[in-house]
Amino acid sequence: KFGGIPKNYIVSRTGLAIPATLIDDKGSLDDLQELLDPNAEVYGFEESHLYLEPKKLEGIILEQFYEKNKAVVISSLDRDFRGVDFKITSNLMVHATKIDKLYGWCDIGSCNEAGMLSQRIVDGKPAHYNDDVILVGASEAYEVRCIRHHEVPGKPSYNSR
């Protein structure tokens, strides 16, 4: 989208780019400690809910925050397409000194309600509750939905949990 920007930058949807260190979020994270610049004052982790080793990432983040006095900024969804919390996000939020929850607008017609949920669409229909939570390389689409328009076939009622 924004040509000429090296891959070792994080780029916002508006084109703002800042230097970053690319890490393998699909791997073991064993080399992550070595990749972190000890002179940095702030560490940022993008889409922490997608890391394959969330407990290890959580430990690294908390070590940087509590033991090394680093500022840590995390972007993450708080819930999956079913509306169920991502544990790493829930676990890290209790340690946060500040939380900014951002919302889109519901994608249904002229709803105009805050869209706080992700709606996964597969073959033109809402994904089933029992579908895999994370799909690598899948061709599904996501929409922003408000609570009223969020649909998850097969989702148990809150009263039956």
Side-chain angles (χ1 to χ4, degrees), residues 93-107:
M93 285 175 74
V94 300
H95 299 279
T97 56
K98 181 178 181 193
I99 298 171
D100 290 323
K101 288 186 106 178
L102 305 176
Y103 303 106
W105 298 108
C106 183
D107 283 329

Side-chain angles (χ1 to χ4, degrees), residues 81-82 127-133 152-154:
F81 76 93
R82 304 170 305 162
H128 193 275
Y129 184 84
N130 293 326
D131 287 354
D132 289 336
V133 173
V152 184

Side-chain angles (χ1 to χ4, degrees), residues 45 67 142:
F45 294 89
E67 296 173 18
Y142 288 90

Side-chain angles (χ1 to χ4, degrees), residues 35-74:
L35 292 172
L36 296 176
D37 178 355
N39 297 315
E41 295 178 23
V42 178
Y43 294 117
F45 294 89
E46 184 87 304
E47 296 188 332
S48 63
H49 61 284
L50 294 179
Y51 284 72
L52 293 183
E53 297 240 10
K55 290 302 287 179
K56 189 178 279 188
L57 178 64
E58 182 181 330
I60 291 168
I61 288 171
L62 293 177
E63 177 186 18
Q64 296 305 315
F65 181 68
Y66 285 113
E67 296 173 18
K68 298 188 177 175
N69 298 313
K70 302 292 184 175
V72 181
V73 178
I74 301 162

Side-chain angles (χ1 to χ4, degrees), residues 103-119 143-151:
Y103 303 106
W105 298 108
C106 183
D107 283 329
I108 299 297
S110 59
C111 176
N112 293 325
E113 292 293 322
M116 58 188 68
L117 296 164
S118 298
Q119 179 74 63
E143 295 178 356
V144 178
R145 296 283 177 93
C146 66
I147 291 173
R148 185 167 46 108
H149 289 117
H150 188 246
E151 301 175 60

Side-chain angles (χ1 to χ4, degrees), residues 74-94:
I74 301 162
S75 72
S76 183
L77 292 178
D78 58 352
R79 291 176 272 188
D80 61 30
F81 76 93
R82 304 170 305 162
V84 176
D85 66 311
F86 280 109
K87 295 299 179 210
I88 186 170
T89 309
S90 299
N91 293 348
L92 291 172
M93 285 175 74
V94 300

